[in-house]
Amino acid sequence: MPMNRRGFLRASALALAAGTIGVAAPQAAAQGRILGTVIDYAAGVPSAAAIRGAGHLGAVRYVSQRRPGTENWMLGKPVTLAETVSLAQYGLQTASVYQFGRAETADWLRGAAGALEHAPQAIALHVAAGGPKGRPIYIAIDDNPTRAQYENQIRPYLQAFSAALHAAGYQTGVYGNYHVIEWCTQDGIGEFFWMHDWGSGGRIHPRTTIHQLPQKDQRVIDGVTVDINNVYASDWGQWTPHVPHVPVPPVPPAPEVSTDQLTQLLNLLRTASSL
């Protein structure tokens, strides 16, 4: 019988523990029950019907423009209202992520000053696509940074971006590797965490909300190459267009009832039933 992905990850974790897999190509070990999968994509926009047919829960979509030099192939940026409405019609949900630059043009290189420019753009595109308040926008750290880069540039960038999101009524998600997520949790940055494997050393951080699988696990849906992401939380930052996110309030505990009160209640019920 062929091994499914969950079985493969479990076997890989056992092999890592036993030292039978070389450290040059570690496999990420799952950190909890996988609740499903979502996809992300930039090269195009697969149809909602095809995404549903492939068995996914929805998609994480870009609330950022195409960077210079990618206009002719990065056709999946930015997400549109028509797309999110179509996803919703097929019972699929959307989450938002901001990433404009990459590598030598990475968004975080400008620190807090960059965030003050990027956050309003992310919010505007989220709203234009039907995104409600109360939901996170993931901020992409698509790198394997050093601790110094985190402290001097990434942390100020994330803090300023997060402050802008919170002030506008949104939550903060962080897309990064194991170390970035760990540093963010230590600094109290972010409510949602989307982890990628670059530099993660084969580990999945316990705070991971969704985990982007390695490039070898990419798939083609409706002619578009997509990344596959395992979902570890029932709330992965998802939304449907123009549907506000209302947290479910906790159920209050039932009041304590004494024996005398219970006896009085039973007597009243007996009296009422005899009338």
Side-chain angles (χ1 to χ4, degrees):
M1 177 183 294
M3 183 180 292
N4 60 24
R5 182 176 295 125
R6 187 177 300 174
F8 176 76
L9 289 172
R10 186 180 297 112
S12 298
L14 292 172
L16 277 170
T20 57
I21 294 180
V23 295
Q27 298 293 328
Q31 54 93 55
R33 188 164 68 93
I34 298 170
L35 304 181
T37 54
V38 296
I39 61 175
D40 66 276
Y41 43 88
V45 179
S47 70
I51 296 172
R52 175 68 181 270
H56 303 294
L57 302 173
V60 187
R61 296 294 292 116
Y62 287 100
V63 288
S64 50
Q65 300 289 354
R66 306 168 196 170
R67 59 182 174 269
T70 68
E71 296 91 347
N72 294 327
W73 70 267
M74 199 172 279
L75 305 180
K77 284 188 174 186
V79 64
T80 65
L81 178 60
E83 181 187 351
T84 64
V85 168
S86 181
L87 289 170
Q89 289 173 340
Y90 280 86
L92 305 173
Q93 294 184 296
T94 305
S96 299
V97 58
Y98 180 88
Q99 181 180 1
F100 179 70
R102 189 179 185 278
E104 67 277 1
T105 64
D107 301 325
W108 55 265
L109 288 171
R110 293 172 54 201
L116 296 178
E117 177 184 332
H118 301 157
Q121 297 175 23
I123 293 169
L125 288 169
H126 173 86
V127 171
K133 289 192 174 184
R135 295 281 69 203
I137 295 177
Y138 286 95
I139 310 163
I141 309 299
D142 191 11
D143 293 277
N144 178 27
T146 65
R147 177 72 188 191
Q149 287 174 320
Y150 173 79
E151 292 178 350
N152 296 326
Q153 294 163 293
I154 292 173
R155 180 165 59 193
Y157 178 76
L158 292 175
Q159 287 175 329
F161 206 130
S162 181
L165 291 177
H166 289 168
Y170 301 93
Q171 293 180 286
T172 299
V174 176
Y175 171 80
N177 66 7
Y178 185 100
H179 300 291
V180 168
I181 293 175
E182 177 63 18
W183 297 331
C184 284
T185 58
Q186 292 172 0
D187 291 331
I189 302 171
E191 294 85 37
F192 296 78
F193 299 97
W194 178 13
M195 201 197 89
H196 63 74
D197 283 346
W198 183 15
S200 295
R203 298 170 295 173
I204 298 181
H205 196 279
R207 290 289 303 278
T208 298
T209 308
I210 52 179
H211 170 223
Q212 187 180 66
L213 299 183
Q215 190 173 21
K216 65 181 180 60
D217 291 311
Q218 287 181 331
R219 295 292 182 267
V220 175
I221 298 178
D222 200 19
V224 179
T225 299
V226 305
D227 287 308
I228 308 296
N229 302 266
N230 286 334
V231 177
Y232 288 103
S234 57
D235 186 353
W236 45 276
Q238 70 270 32
W239 50 268
T240 51
H242 301 305
V243 178
H245 176 72
V246 180
V248 179
V251 178
E256 294 184 3
V257 180
S258 68
T259 302
D260 290 342
Q261 289 174 318
L262 184 58
T263 301
Q264 293 174 6
L265 179 60
L266 290 173
N267 288 337
L268 286 172
L269 290 173
R270 292 192 188 100
T271 303
S273 63
S274 64
L275 293 179

